[in-house]
């Protein structure tokens, strides 16, 4: 498992669109599985789930992104999992960290820190 949190000024819709487009462009084996958005009184939230096949580890990893916006500030929580092989062998060859890192780079370009 790998995780990260970033935040900064912006629009949750723009950040979600950028993340969906750029993540899927980053690798042929990466896809956005699904996303759901919710509006609350003074906040908004979007949850995105990505999946990617890693050849070097012969496995799939998932990346869950939780975007929230309140008062013009967007926060992004990234959690990657599932990168280990088999029931006992959990070494992932860095797949989970790489997955989070790809999303972090895209979000940093969008102004989140």
């Amino acid at each position: 498992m790998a995780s990260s949190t970033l935040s900064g000024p912006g629009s949750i819709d723009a950040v979600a669109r950028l993340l969906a487009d750029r993540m899927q462009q980053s690798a042929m084996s990466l896809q956005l599985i699904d996303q759901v958005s919710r509006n609350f009184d003074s906040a908004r939230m979007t949850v995105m789930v990505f999946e990617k096949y890693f050849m070097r580890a012969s496995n799939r990893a998932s990346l869950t992104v939780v975007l929230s916006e309140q008062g013009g500030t967007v926060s992004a929580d990234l959690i990657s999992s599932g990168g280990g092989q088999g029931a006992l062998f959990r070494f992932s060859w860095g797949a989970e960290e790489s997955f989070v890192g790809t999303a972090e780079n895209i979000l940093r370009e969008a102004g989140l820190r």
Side-chain angles (χ1 to χ4, degrees), residues 24-86:
Q24 293 180 107
Q25 292 171 2
S26 71
M28 287 182 58
S29 65
L30 193 153
Q31 62 180 353
L32 174 62
I33 301 298
D34 204 356
Q35 96 178 45
V36 63
S37 297
R38 297 284 184 257
N39 295 321
F40 301 99
D41 290 337
S42 62
R44 299 174 63 203
M45 181 178 78
T46 296
V47 177
M48 307 170 82
V49 178
F50 296 91
E51 185 177 76
K52 181 178 179 183
Y53 178 75
F54 287 86
M55 287 185 92
R56 70 177 173 266
S58 298
N59 63 15
R60 293 194 169 276
S62 70
L63 174 67
T64 302
V65 178
V66 178
L67 300 173
S68 57
E69 178 185 359
Q70 187 169 21
T73 298
V74 176
S75 296
D77 295 292
L78 315 170
I79 303 168
S80 181
S81 66
Q85 289 180 328

